[in-house]
Amino acid sequence: MTILASGLALFFILHMIPFWGTGIKSTITIKIGAGPYKGLFALATLASFVLIVFGWQASEIEIFYDAPVWGRHATPLFVLFGILLFIASNAPTNIRRMLRHPQLIGVMLWGIGHLMSNGETRSVLLFGGMIVFSLAAIISSNKRDGDWIKRDIVPLSRDIITIVIGLVVFAALYYFHASFTGISILP
């Protein structure tokens, strides 16, 4: 469980630098440049994911709570909406116009969905940790950025394209879930 917690801590620290450590980011960027900083940030983020995956796989399965029976049916819906919001955050969509932080809200939905059907300790640490991270990032972002200025309306076709891409990504993740988690969710 220590490896999983270390990966989550590294991910959290890295992604909170833009909010809590702007001086650190500025100092490093001035010394090595924006490109190398982004490269190091990407490598460190990849390292955090590697630690999370290996930590997840190495953790003993200990039940923290009994997930509700209906949770297994609700999880895919929450995950689907989480993926749609995550993808919409990186595209010019009306969803970005309606929600200030679609990516972080998507991560929260993904985490909440998984906690509905997974009650073991490693799930509480991983998914609960990502929910806490998302909440902290939303609060910190709002504090840093001030008032929200909504984006302009874009054609509905952009939302439709984003939704189709999200459905394809969801289907692929659903189908290959066992390949990267070791847990099959197919009936």
Side-chain angles (χ1 to χ4, degrees):
M1 198 77 72
T2 304
I3 298 170
L4 175 59
S6 299
L8 287 167
L10 178 58
F11 179 88
F12 188 92
I13 290 166
L14 286 169
H15 287 81
M16 294 313 285
I17 287 173
F19 307 114
W20 299 346
T22 53
I24 295 168
K25 181 181 177 182
S26 298
T27 303
I28 295 171
T29 303
I30 290 168
K31 287 185 180 183
I32 66 173
Y37 172 81
K38 289 178 182 177
L40 289 174
F41 186 89
L43 285 174
T45 298
L46 179 62
S48 74
F49 283 129
V50 169
L51 288 171
I52 289 168
V53 169
F54 284 118
W56 171 268
Q57 292 171 345
S59 296
E60 290 187 34
I61 299 174
E62 300 170 8
I63 301 300
F64 188 76
Y65 65 88
D66 290 323
V69 175
W70 54 265
R72 184 168 172 87
H73 304 292
T75 297
L77 187 62
F78 275 77
V79 171
L80 171 61
F81 282 109
I83 289 169
L84 290 172
L85 290 177
F86 194 90
I87 291 172
S89 71
N90 295 301
T93 64
N94 290 302
I95 296 167
R96 287 181 71 182
R97 205 171 80 57
M98 293 185 284
L99 298 172
R100 185 170 186 174
H101 303 288
Q103 188 173 46
L104 294 169
I105 295 168
V107 171
M108 283 194 297
L109 290 174
W110 169 81
I112 292 166
H114 278 84
L115 289 177
M116 288 181 179
S117 59
N118 298 293
E120 72 274 359
T121 306
R122 66 183 186 173
S123 290
V124 172
L125 182 59
L126 173 60
F127 303 117
M130 293 307 270
I131 293 167
V132 169
F133 159 74
S134 296
L135 286 170
I138 287 171
I139 292 166
S140 298
S141 176
N142 288 344
K143 185 176 180 180
R144 179 193 65 189
D145 299 339
D147 291 338
W148 179 35
I149 299 168
K150 290 191 175 191
R151 297 172 179 261
D152 293 333
I153 296 173
V154 297
L156 184 60
S157 60
R158 297 209 177 156
D159 295 313
I160 293 169
I161 290 168
T162 300
I163 290 169
V164 169
I165 292 169
L167 289 169
V168 169
V169 169
F170 173 78
L173 290 173
Y174 194 84
Y175 184 78
F176 292 108
H177 193 268
S179 301
F180 56 89
T181 66
I183 299 168
S184 177
I185 54 176
L186 293 173

